[in-house]
Amino acid sequence: VGSVDLNDAVFGIEPNTQTVFEAVVMQRASLRQGTHSTKNRTEVRGGGKKPWRQKGTGRARTGSIRSPQWRGGGIVFGPKPRSYKYSLNRKVRRLAVRSALSQHVLDSSLKVVEDLTFENVKTKAFINVMSALELERKTLFVVSNEEEVTNAYLSMRNLANTMLLTVQDLNTYDLVN
């Protein structure tokens, strides 16, 4: 429609690439499931009896066929289910979002659309809007919390590399991606 005045405190700062990197790594670490697991020698089935007597056989002493050096034995220091989540300070997270937004302004990859409402759910109509805005690659649509964009979301959710977020859900990973 025209030009928009942007807040320099959000869109006009020097982008801090280190905080953006830290925020993206933190978000990707939080996405990990952490369900990997191995069995140690107490969890492996079997191995209750001593395989041979302690002395007199000429072989090495052993107490169980499930010790780690045996085939079918337990795994030493193997992975166990755990959470990879960690948190960054609030000011660092906010600086990362502001830095990503400022980088989009510097790259001229930020477009402001006045209205994103649809009368009915049609993916073809949304494709026409994207072609009119000259958007071919990955696209993130950010809308305010008050806007009614249910039809727009339903129209675009089937398109690859296209995402719609509210301002409240805005995050560094999706901005960079």
Side-chain angles (χ1 to χ4, degrees), residues 52-143:
W52 51 79
R53 58 195 174 106
Q54 182 82 355
K55 300 175 76 65
T57 62
R59 299 189 69 182
R61 57 191 179 180
T62 185
S64 172
I65 64 169
R66 296 307 182 209
S67 58
Q69 67 266 29
W70 285 61
R71 183 182 176 280
I75 304 296
V76 182
F77 303 127
K80 288 293 178 188
R82 70 185 185 96
S83 173
Y84 287 91
K85 289 184 179 181
Y86 68 95
S87 62
L88 291 176
N89 294 336
R90 184 180 296 138
K91 287 183 180 181
V92 175
R93 290 195 314 260
R94 288 180 177 171
L95 177 62
V97 171
R98 289 196 324 252
S99 296
L101 288 170
S102 297
Q103 188 63 47
H104 278 296
V105 171
L106 289 175
D107 296 341
S108 301
S109 61
L110 181 75
K111 293 185 180 185
V112 179
V113 180
E114 185 176 347
D115 195 18
L116 197 65
T117 56
F118 287 85
E119 291 81 29
N120 49 15
V121 179
K122 294 295 278 186
T123 304
K124 192 170 189 177
F126 202 88
I127 291 173
N128 292 337
V129 168
M130 287 184 63
S131 63
L133 293 172
E134 298 171 357
L135 304 172
E136 292 91 24
R137 294 189 287 145
K138 289 183 179 181
T139 307
L140 174 66
F141 291 93
V142 181
V143 296

Side-chain angles (χ1 to χ4, degrees), residues 16-31 86-100 170-176:
N16 189 331
T17 56
Q18 182 61 36
T19 57
V20 172
F21 173 76
E22 289 173 0
V24 169
V25 169
M26 184 260 313
Q27 278 189 265
R28 290 193 46 132
S30 298
L31 289 174
Y86 68 95
S87 62
L88 291 176
N89 294 336
R90 184 180 296 138
K91 287 183 180 181
V92 175
R93 290 195 314 260
R94 288 180 177 171
L95 177 62
V97 171
R98 289 196 324 252
S99 296
L170 194 61
N171 60 74
T172 309
Y173 178 68
D174 289 327
L175 279 172
V176 172

